[in-house]
Amino acid sequence: MNERVKPQGCVLRATAISGRLQGLLGEITIAQTYRNAEPANIEAVFTFPVPVEAVLLGVDIRIDDRVLQGRVLPKRQAENAYEDAVSGGDGAILLQEAGRGLYTVSVGNLLPGQTAQLRYRYALLSVWNGDTLRLQLPTTIAPRYGDPGQAGLQPHQVPSVDLDAENRFSLELELGGPLRQAVVESPSHRINVEVGAEVSRVGLAGGPALMDRDFILNIQGSAEARAALGLCAPDRDGWIALASFQPELAGHADVGGRDCVLIADCSGSMAGDSIAQTRDALLALLDRLQPADRFNLIAFGSQPRAFFTGLHPADDRGLAQARALVAGLDANMGGTEIGAALQLAYRQRQGQPLDILLMTDGEAWNVEQLAAEARQSGCRIFAVGVGAAVAEGLVRGLAEATGGACEFVHPNEDMAARIVRHFERIRAPRAEVTMTWPVEPIRRLPEQVERVFSGDTLHLLAWLPARPEGPATLNLTLSDGRRLRQGVTLEPWPVAETADTLPRLAAARRIAQLSAEDATALAVDYQLVTPHTHFLMVDMRAEDQKATELPELRTVPHRLAAGWGGVGSVMAAAPCMMDLLQESPDHFDAPAFLRRAPSPPPPAPLVVPPPMPGAAQPSLSGGVRAMFDALREMAAPAPRAAQKSLLGRAKTMFDALRKEAPPPTPPPVTTAGTPADFARWLEASAARLADPKQPLPTLDELATAGLPDDLLTGLRDLVGTGETEDAVVAALLHAFLQHGPECRLPRNASRAIRARCRKQVSATLAAAVEPLVKTWCATG
Amino acid sequence: MDETAEPTFGIEELCGLTGVTRRTVRFYTQKGLLDPPEGERRGAYYTRRHLEQLLLIRKWQAAGVSLERIGQLLRGEWVELPPAPEPGTVEVWSRVTLRPGLEVHLEPGRLGLTPEETQELIQRLVAVTSQG
């Protein structure tokens, strides 16, 4: 976060996210429009997030009216070609990975007036968890702890954050096939749903939304929609097959006697919603422990702290102590040293396997190192990602490296229900899995299935030497002796022109297992953007069209993530339940989870239901009221409703502050004319002029500040010739500071004014303004 | 060619000498940390001065100095750090609650405010924050 380039008007003009989900396999398109509205040649750079599982299929480029083609090349080759193009004055676009789920795009030599439209097409293979498919589309990158350089980011890739970046995105999703009739809801945004004959369409209810939080769509599918899926497509000389199952292993009696460590992220970024969610999660977790279990609780920030000296029995006394400790947790422990906390957790292991439940927003850079250590530890990590803009890469990475699982819970979602699912996974019986394909595969992915969780989709890929005929069969042998068997027919890929989607998706999943050399070759062959390869487009320009100077850098900043570090609360944002299977509308004053037909309300969740659109206060039914009271009685921190109203009031207060306390303006100078008067006015205005957030004074204001009329006329004429008023004022101030009488300005103020003016003023303008100012100073 | 002329480097050579990628060299130039190369476009070259600047940037970065701060140091700008209080200095910080959840911490001495001005400031803040 070491840069803050503030372009005048953001170079990123629009972001449009669209997508089509037919079932588990979907395609997501992100379209970005960059426009150079400046007089100078620029290079626009933006590091942006995509779902971690998304595989880039292609980039469509349009510069002004021309459609341009690029291709994926080995990293070094692409970087050098991009540098050659930029230094040679040609147009170029480079797309590179910046870690899990992050990409950096560079639009080099975007000439004044040019517009570049980029459309990134991604394939996304989703999963069912129970009856829900969760589509989570990140829009911003929250500030992360640690050194992005050590995580492999080059200096230009480091994302910057701005409190008031006005980036917005539009959204258009199509749900087709078995998902057309699904019940959908978004805990993050208000949505519109339009059910058509072919597809249903989901959009944002209020038009384009700020890119300050993940967009989340929960799609509830019927049993038919969730049926096993088999697909195959030709791949070079052979075939690729994908089989997706959702095994149900219910009915297993668990005797307890497990060891687990609960880890709570109490770093500063967790303040507000996230730490409240974490406390909810911990209380729900403690409720699920059985007397025969042993546990420990670790809270961390810059340092980890274990509450017990070792594993402690989950008896009444131990749990009561832990609950009291949880109530006292706050996001006040400093940095995000997840590694140290995990190491402390690994050391708790005593004799038998240890499971770790980690609650975090994942805002740390060192993902790869943590994942490697976790893989070594032999412990399973069950992660819960909290917050409105969670870092998916870290949360998912730790779970996948250890054979655990992850859940993402938005502040407006019910934490308790998701914790229950995690416990079902932890207690799931071990299962031996074998898969029989119609043809003996050349290669399988995963090579061996090490984990099956009841109700979670299992994707199996196979590279086959010939076209498969007949069913693929999944065989499960559970540790209690039960056997399950499920078959699926492999259907040919339905659409001819996108038939390479499956082979490329499969190739992308292989990359991580290959050596750098093999991975590069495979990625180039299948045109995949990976840590070893970049996408490059070079637009060779005619000699007279080439840029003559190195482009100025314009980094697109991210809007600070909503609720990050306690900056406001997203729980106040009204989510919208939109059920395609329309329920009677008069249920809409009931809390969301009570309306969620057909499942019964979950048992006394600890989460306050999200407020209804338009309702000032959540309307409380008797049961919920009882829950509130119970919440208050517990030695818990202030109930969320109370926190929320306080936050609401604090916000109103801030707005009031902004309105009521305008920056002090210096008193107008009545005696007009002399440079000395103007110098005094400058001294009085130093604070305002030094603050880059405040606009420069207008010429009209300067007229009251002691500028003589003839000088003003000269300046206004310059504005008439097409210079901006801002630039003219900047040039005036700059010239006055150089040639006028001495101003007793604080050093930092005069420096800031000089720097600010220098930035906005062209050489021609400075040359035009200088003699005017000199004349005035000489005569006055 | 003059034998005693200052050595010059192509971009590849400069990268090889410093272990910095071409993109990063250009990034530093764009950020104003490194002087632009001599010569035009593809004929651009670098001198010993560039090499020294680049090594210095690398050194400071490795020591954990932010790029913004490196820029200030290279331009000779001196940003005043808050003076570290001498051991034994007694400072009295006032902590004023404006309303529950909102406090002002201030040291009127350092702010240069008289007691009357401090009181007025607090009154104004209270007035503003008690609305809504």
Side-chain angles (χ1 to χ4, degrees):
Chain A
M1 250 45 64
N2 54 7
E3 55 179 303
R4 248 162 218 269
V5 176
K6 255 233 165 123
Q8 296 156 326
C10 188
V11 59
L12 175 66
R13 287 305 166 98
T15 300
I17 301 178
S18 57
R20 192 180 167 90
L21 272 74
Q22 288 282 5
L24 288 177
L25 197 73
E27 193 174 303
I28 304 289
T29 302
I30 302 174
Q32 297 168 344
T33 307
Y34 296 88
R35 182 168 161 73
N36 182 0
E38 299 179 45
N41 169 35
I42 63 167
E43 177 185 40
V45 176
F46 187 32
T47 296
F48 60 94
V50 299
V52 169
E53 303 275 85
V55 174
L56 182 72
L57 296 177
V59 187
D60 305 328
I61 300 169
R62 229 185 143 87
I63 294 185
D64 293 334
D65 290 328
R66 293 180 309 130
V67 175
L68 297 156
Q69 302 287 336
R71 59 179 283 105
V72 172
L73 296 171
K75 184 170 146 175
R76 282 294 299 274
Q77 196 183 332
E79 278 170 2
N80 277 326
Y82 179 78
E83 289 309 309
D84 285 344
V86 169
S87 56
D90 293 316
I93 290 174
L94 181 74
L95 183 70
Q96 47 191 159
E97 256 200 17
R100 294 185 189 216
L102 300 181
Y103 287 84
T104 302
V105 64
S106 308
V107 184
N109 284 335
L110 191 64
L111 299 174
Q114 273 190 334
T115 301
Q117 284 175 294
L118 279 74
R119 281 163 47 89
Y120 315 94
R121 286 177 289 111
Y122 294 90
L124 185 61
L125 192 53
S126 305
V127 294
W128 291 105
N129 299 120
D131 64 355
T132 306
L133 188 166
R134 182 187 176 86
L135 180 67
Q136 180 160 343
L137 304 174
T139 67
T140 188
I141 304 171
R144 294 186 182 175
Y145 178 78
D147 182 358
Q150 275 175 12
L153 270 74
Q154 295 181 48
H156 72 271
Q157 295 184 296
V158 177
S160 62
V161 171
D162 199 317
L163 258 172
D164 47 22
E166 267 288 317
N167 310 333
R168 286 178 182 272
F169 73 105
S170 63
L171 180 87
E172 195 177 325
L173 293 174
E174 288 181 2
L175 306 180
L179 299 184
R180 188 179 71 86
Q181 292 285 338
V183 180
V184 300
E185 58 108 0
S186 169
S188 61
H189 290 76
R190 302 189 59 164
I191 54 172
N192 284 327
V193 182
E194 215 182 284
V195 188
E198 294 287 314
V199 293
S200 57
R201 289 197 164 75
V202 179
L204 294 170
L210 270 182
M211 297 174 74
D212 67 346
R213 65 196 71 190
D214 298 342
F215 173 82
I216 296 159
L217 192 69
N218 286 320
I219 303 169
Q220 273 177 274
S222 59
E224 301 84 72
R226 292 182 279 123
L229 166 88
L231 283 171
C232 61
D235 174 29
R236 304 296 189 266
D237 298 334
W239 284 71
I240 287 278
L242 167 71
S244 306
F245 299 97
Q246 194 188 17
E248 294 290 342
L249 315 173
H252 178 76
D254 187 78
V255 289
R258 291 172 186 277
D259 289 343
C260 67
V261 175
L262 318 181
I263 306 182
D265 182 345
C266 294
S267 63
S269 66
M270 294 283 288
D273 291 344
S274 301
I275 196 72
Q277 280 190 288
T278 298
R279 282 192 295 255
D280 283 350
L282 288 170
L283 292 174
L285 285 165
L286 293 172
D287 285 345
R288 306 293 300 184
L289 291 176
Q290 296 180 10
D293 293 334
R294 292 185 299 175
F295 79 110
N296 201 347
L297 181 59
I298 294 175
F300 75 93
S302 303
Q303 305 273 329
R305 201 171 78 217
F307 285 111
F308 300 111
T309 45
L311 291 171
H312 194 277
D315 51 20
D316 289 346
R317 197 156 152 259
L319 291 176
Q321 279 179 314
R323 286 198 184 95
L325 292 168
V326 167
L329 286 183
D330 209 345
N332 55 5
M333 293 180 67
T336 311
E337 292 291 349
I338 299 188
L342 286 169
Q343 292 294 349
L344 180 58
Y346 304 150
R347 288 202 296 274
Q348 307 286 309
R349 189 165 167 171
Q350 286 174 16
Q352 61 168 345
L354 180 74
D355 291 325
I356 295 169
L357 284 132
L358 170 69
M359 265 81 27
T360 180
D361 58 5
E363 302 300 358
W365 279 113
N366 54 340
V367 183
E368 302 306 327
Q369 184 201 342
L370 293 173
E373 288 171 4
R375 199 173 288 120
Q376 295 282 318
S377 73
C379 302
R380 292 190 300 179
I381 297 178
F382 293 85
V384 182
V386 296
V390 59
E392 187 192 350
L394 187 140
V395 178
R396 189 176 292 283
L398 286 176
E400 281 180 355
T402 58
C406 56
E407 285 278 352
F408 294 89
V409 190
H410 186 274
N412 285 334
E413 285 179 298
D414 179 1
M415 177 65 82
R418 311 288 282 283
I419 292 296
V420 169
R421 279 200 57 78
H422 251 356
F423 260 91
E424 283 168 0
R425 294 189 182 106
I426 288 177
R427 302 203 186 284
R430 292 200 172 269
E432 252 178 58
V433 184
T434 54
M435 183 74 194
T436 323
W437 299 92
V439 191
E440 184 53 30
I442 303 162
R443 186 182 308 113
R444 298 159 185 261
L445 210 71
E447 278 166 33
Q448 204 166 3
V449 183
E450 275 153 17
R451 54 159 185 159
V452 188
F453 298 124
S454 181
D456 290 354
T457 297
L458 188 63
H459 291 299
L460 298 146
L461 283 164
W463 282 253
L464 308 173
R467 181 178 176 146
E469 308 282 353
T473 316
L474 176 77
N475 300 289
L476 290 170
T477 310
L478 303 187
S479 52
D480 59 4
R482 280 184 298 157
R483 298 172 85 91
L484 294 171
R485 203 181 152 87
Q486 212 176 346
V488 68
T489 313
L490 300 172
E491 309 277 354
W493 190 265
V495 192
E497 60 264 33
T498 60
D500 67 343
T501 302
L502 186 58
R504 294 176 68 194
L505 200 92
R509 293 202 163 203
R510 276 184 69 199
I511 295 285
Q513 306 179 325
L514 301 176
S515 68
E517 200 180 328
D518 292 348
T520 308
L522 187 73
V524 171
D525 191 7
Y526 284 84
Q527 290 289 291
L528 300 168
V529 175
T530 66
H532 314 285
T533 48
H534 298 334
F535 170 90
L536 175 77
M537 186 286 300
V538 173
D539 179 20
M540 299 290 274
R541 290 179 181 153
E543 202 54 40
D544 60 332
Q545 309 262 303
K546 286 190 197 286
T548 49
E549 284 183 9
L550 268 189
E552 287 179 31
L553 180 67
R554 293 290 175 262
T555 306
V556 179
H558 283 277
R559 174 80 172 202
L560 182 65
W564 185 90
V567 186
S569 168
V570 297
M571 286 192 296
C576 189
M577 284 283 297
M578 290 297 301
D579 296 356
L580 293 191
L581 306 174
Q582 284 292 335
E583 295 171 55
S584 101
D586 53 7
H587 288 169
F588 270 67
D589 57 353
F593 67 84
L594 292 177
R595 279 195 285 112
R596 200 176 297 165
S599 59
L606 286 160
V607 173
V608 176
M612 288 301 100
Q617 291 277 319
S619 60
L620 300 179
S621 62
V624 182
R625 168 67 65 196
M627 194 181 81
F628 262 102
D629 294 341
L631 257 172
R632 287 219 182 82
E633 273 165 31
M634 292 168 56
R640 289 252 200 111
Q643 290 179 7
K644 192 160 55 200
S645 63
L646 267 180
L647 281 165
R649 272 188 283 156
K651 193 184 167 302
T652 329
M653 205 173 71
F654 261 99
D655 292 344
L657 252 174
R658 240 185 249 138
K659 264 187 275 163
E660 296 301 322
T665 41
V669 179
T670 41
T671 50
T674 73
D677 290 335
F678 190 64
R680 274 203 296 283
W681 182 85
L682 266 188
E683 284 165 10
S685 316
R688 168 193 176 180
L689 295 169
D691 181 358
K693 289 213 175 70
Q694 293 194 39
L696 285 173
T698 60
L699 288 174
D700 286 341
E701 267 177 82
L702 292 180
T704 65
L707 278 201
D709 287 344
D710 51 341
L711 178 56
L712 275 168
T713 315
L715 295 174
R716 289 214 169 91
D717 287 348
L718 285 169
V719 176
T721 63
E723 297 285 354
T724 65
E725 187 169 338
D726 249 16
V728 171
V729 170
L732 167 77
L733 295 178
H734 195 226
F736 188 82
L737 286 177
Q738 279 182 327
H739 306 292
E742 200 188 337
C743 290
R744 283 187 301 276
L745 293 179
R747 205 153 38 131
N748 62 342
S750 84
R751 209 160 35 219
I753 295 173
R754 277 172 213 268
R756 186 174 178 184
C757 297
R758 219 170 25 232
K759 242 188 270 172
Q760 299 187 358
V761 179
S762 67
T764 6
L765 178 60
V769 172
E770 230 167 76
L772 297 176
V773 174
K774 272 188 185 163
T775 319
W776 175 43
C777 291
T779 55
Chain B
M1 171 94 56
D2 184 356
E3 287 293 312
T4 57
E6 205 191 326
T8 61
F9 315 100
I11 178 69
E12 297 283 0
E13 215 176 336
L14 186 73
C15 293
L17 285 168
T18 55
V20 175
T21 65
R22 280 177 72 180
R23 178 61 181 264
T24 303
V25 169
R26 193 164 58 75
F27 176 75
Y28 290 155
T29 310
Q30 286 172 318
K31 298 289 277 185
L33 306 182
L34 184 67
D35 290 338
E38 311 291 335
E40 291 259 306
R41 284 204 213 152
R42 286 187 180 146
Y45 64 91
Y46 296 82
T47 64
R48 186 194 293 276
R49 173 172 51 102
H50 293 101
L51 180 64
E52 281 165 5
Q53 283 176 341
L54 201 46
L55 290 172
L56 199 57
I57 295 170
R58 290 281 287 172
K59 190 172 88 180
W60 281 338
Q61 258 221 306
V65 184
S66 76
L67 289 182
E68 266 161 356
R69 186 85 183 106
I70 292 175
Q72 288 168 349
L73 291 170
L74 287 170
R75 287 190 295 272
E77 292 174 16
W78 211 247
V79 176
E80 284 165 34
L81 298 173
E86 289 290 312
T89 310
V90 178
E91 276 186 315
V92 181
W93 280 81
S94 309
R95 195 169 144 164
V96 187
T97 301
L98 299 179
R99 58 189 287 172
L102 185 63
E103 288 183 348
V104 174
H105 292 215
L106 74 171
E107 212 277 85
R110 251 200 231 182
L111 269 176
L113 293 183
T114 63
E116 292 73 32
E117 283 169 332
T118 310
Q119 204 174 0
E120 193 196 326
L121 175 71
I122 299 292
Q123 277 167 354
R124 281 171 59 186
L125 286 171
V126 169
V128 169
T129 54
S130 61
Q131 295 162 3

